[in-house]
Amino acid sequence: MPKPNVPHDVTSPIDLRLLKDAQDWEQSAMVKRPWRHDFFFCFMRQIVESSLPVNRLLELGSGPGFLAQFLLESLDPVAYTLLDFSSSMHSLAWERLGSLASRAEFVERNFKASTWNTGLGKFDCVVTLQAIHELRHKRYAADLHAQVKSLLVPGGLYLVCDHYAGNGGMIDHQLYMTVAEQKSALLTAGFDRVEKIMIKGGLVMHRAS
């Protein structure tokens, strides 16, 4: 009997657990995509305008802390949890945040693991920027989103920004989802309302609740 045709995960060309690779990513991210700042402002605006006060916030794939720094400076007195699988990235983020780190919790977990969301408690808002594709295949996205949903308080806000596949975006349709596929994955995960908020420079942000 033939084996089912299961798509293979897409191997990453870098290992962000290594300090050198993490530093290289940190140094290039804002240079390659300076419009990330526009998305930072979009995250902030969505949180400020949320009907539910955001006091506790989780970032998935927090990396070297660019978004965390911006939101902690903008959203006093939010309590911020940075979740990343790389201790090297956490070290860079700790250095970047400086005194802001007193309002932050650093959690080292891999969101590819089935139990990554255990014991974290509930959040008013979960954000993620350029991280969902690190699942290394788009078929995992809906399950991850469902795990995120389990962490949100009723009426909580999920803001998802990642690369998209298709015109103006990426060419790898195994690793990256189209804009429509990103919305579909969020709906499949159980979110009732999914809205495209911003699209620019190969990145798209969705709001789900």
Side-chain angles (χ1 to χ4, degrees), residues 4-51:
N5 184 21
V6 178
H8 295 291
D9 291 358
V10 180
T11 303
S12 175
I14 58 176
D15 185 349
L16 294 173
R17 295 168 297 184
L18 301 176
L19 182 58
K20 179 62 166 61
D21 285 0
Q23 289 172 327
D24 287 347
W25 194 94
E26 177 189 37
Q27 292 165 10
S28 66
M30 302 305 295
V31 176
K32 290 171 63 176
R33 295 180 176 87
W35 53 89
R36 281 164 51 93
H37 280 294
D38 298 332
F39 284 95
F40 293 174
F41 278 101
C42 192
F43 276 107
M44 180 191 66
R45 186 172 62 252
Q46 291 297 314
I47 293 168
V48 168
E49 294 176 358
S50 172
S51 58

Side-chain angles (χ1 to χ4, degrees), residues 183-208:
K183 180 177 181 178
S184 177
L186 288 161
L187 292 171
T188 298
F191 288 95
D192 297 320
R193 298 177 58 189
V194 179
E195 180 183 359
K196 183 178 70 177
I197 299 299
M198 180 178 177
I199 185 166
K200 185 174 183 178
L203 295 170
V204 62
M205 179 191 288
H206 284 92
R207 170 191 176 121

Side-chain angles (χ1 to χ4, degrees), residues 108-145:
E108 187 179 332
R109 294 187 189 179
N110 189 338
F111 60 52
K112 291 183 68 175
S114 61
T115 58
W116 71 266
N117 56 336
T118 302
L120 293 176
K122 294 290 186 177
F123 296 88
D124 305 305
C125 180
V126 177
V127 300
T128 182
L129 171 62
Q130 281 181 266
I132 297 300
H133 69 275
E134 290 300 339
L135 290 166
R136 307 315 302 174
H137 198 286
K138 66 182 182 182
R139 70 182 183 277
Y140 301 120
D143 287 342
L144 176 69
H145 295 327

